[in-house]
Amino acid sequence: MSATKPRSCDTDAALAEARRRSRSLEAELRAEPRGQRVVTGDRPTGPLHLGHYFGTLENRVKLQELGVDVFVVVADYQTIIDRTSPETMRDDVAGLVADYLAVGIDPERTTIFAHSEVGALNQLMLPLLSCVTVAELSRNPTVKDELEAAGGRAMSALMFSYPVHQAADILSCRGTVVPVGRDQLPHLELARSIARRFNRRYCPELTLFPEPRALLSEAPMLLGIDGTKMSKSRGNAIAISASAEETARLIGRAKTDLEREITYDPERRPDVANLLLLAALFQRRRPEDIAEDVGSGGAAALKRTVTESVNERLREIRARRAELISDAGYLRAVLASGAERARAVAGETLREARLAMHMNYDD
Ligand code: TRP
């Protein structure tokens, strides 16, 4: 087995290379959307926020509209890594599906499924675990971060092996493309190694698992209202599903600085720059132009502009989401039909994998 590669985003050169590959992949997807399968997903840990909207959701809808076959995993097993109480799971899953549909993911074309409902996917994790070493998992940056964040508390073996579970999500669907942020590149590198090793070990004459390629997201990182990365767990996020009033209140509380004149200066004025960026994304304009508009209006005028841009653009999405969330039966039906499709695909993958491992005993 080949030596482990260094983290793919270790150096600027490696990142530039990942970007270059990703751009050519994007061109391929445009030219020939049919041959590819995108696999992506989220952990149901609470409502999706504005960072998700620009970071991933828009892109999923774009891929769907191009005609690419998209599978979206509701990674419910991944939440038991850190969740202490399971009571909100069902609502969180329903809320996530409602978020997806509200932003334009179409369940007729895109397969939305909870991975706990797809037995074959989870069974596939066993042979995949055999394709990775404990040392490799220990070096995974996310696993390392989590270990540090745990601050001495014990880490569960599921947490430790979760990059392999994510590989099972991708490989069971035989995904060829995975949209990722830079921080997820090491996960994808691992999924690629696992695919390669399985193929080499059990079926060198055919490619049972395609090596999934990274579609690198170029979306800018949004900061939350406290000036740190917008994140569900930090309580600093503005949910897509927040009401207009709640949005106004949250943006009203966002950090700014004491300078009256509004200028776009991400280095020196990161908090003001973040608000300008938000307004710019929602208005599809440049942050510099928004700054010019606001000018000497100061932070109050800036916050009004941001609030209006967010609320304006999300009005329809929020109305649709409110309707969806009140139709629990429909949301359940979407998940059920997604699970059925995913079970057919993952079941066939597992069948072929077991055949390759000579674990077929009935003929
Ligand atoms: N780990 C991802 C996250 O926390 C979610 C996820 C689960 C995922 N399975 C996946 C992403 C498969 C891409 C492909 O955001």
Side-chain angles (χ1 to χ4, degrees), residues 221-283:
M221 187 181 76
L222 285 180
L223 305 179
I225 57 169
D226 60 354
T228 69
K229 182 181 173 187
M230 192 179 284
S231 142
K232 285 186 249 189
S233 57
R234 292 192 184 146
N236 65 358
I238 301 167
I240 293 169
S241 54
S243 68
E245 295 71 35
E246 211 177 319
T247 304
R249 196 153 18 86
L250 287 167
I251 292 173
R253 291 213 321 254
K255 258 176 87 177
T256 49
D257 56 35
L258 295 170
E259 278 176 61
R260 174 100 199 151
E261 183 76 21
I262 295 302
T263 53
Y264 184 63
D265 187 348
E267 287 287 312
R268 208 173 52 80
R269 308 180 69 185
D271 299 315
V272 166
N274 185 58
L275 286 171
L276 287 166
L277 184 63
L278 254 182
L281 286 166
F282 277 97
Q283 292 184 28

Side-chain angles (χ1 to χ4, degrees), residues 276-294 305 309 313:
L276 287 166
L277 184 63
L278 254 182
L281 286 166
F282 277 97
Q283 292 184 28
R284 302 189 200 280
R285 292 171 67 205
R286 297 184 328 133
E288 291 85 348
D289 297 339
I290 312 267
E292 199 153 305
D293 284 0
V294 179
T305 300
S309 335
R313 179 95 171 265

Side-chain angles (χ1 to χ4, degrees), residues 81-157:
I81 281 165
D82 49 22
R83 188 187 286 259
T84 42
S85 72
E87 285 80 19
T88 60
M89 180 76 87
R90 285 164 57 97
D91 286 347
D92 286 343
V93 170
L96 189 58
V97 176
D99 280 341
Y100 290 157
L101 304 183
V103 299
I105 294 179
D106 170 8
E108 295 293 323
R109 288 178 283 166
T110 291
T111 304
I112 303 171
F113 71 100
H115 64 182
S116 68
E117 292 202 281
V118 181
L121 179 159
N122 295 290
Q123 185 175 334
L124 192 65
M125 180 153 170
L126 291 172
L128 300 189
L129 275 167
S130 80
C131 296
V132 65
T133 67
V134 169
E136 268 176 306
L137 287 174
S138 320
R139 281 195 298 270
N140 180 278
T142 310
V143 172
K144 262 168 57 181
D145 288 351
E146 290 290 338
L147 199 53
E148 274 162 31
R153 272 183 295 123
M155 177 190 270
S156 79

Side-chain angles (χ1 to χ4, degrees), residues 39-43 73 75 78 115 162 165-166 169-170 178-180 184 187:
V39 182
T40 176
D42 300 282
R43 305 187 310 143
V73 185
Q78 268 192 18
H115 64 182
Y162 104 90
H165 201 200
Q166 186 159 329
D169 289 339
I170 299 165
V178 182
V180 287
Q184 294 255 320
H187 286 349

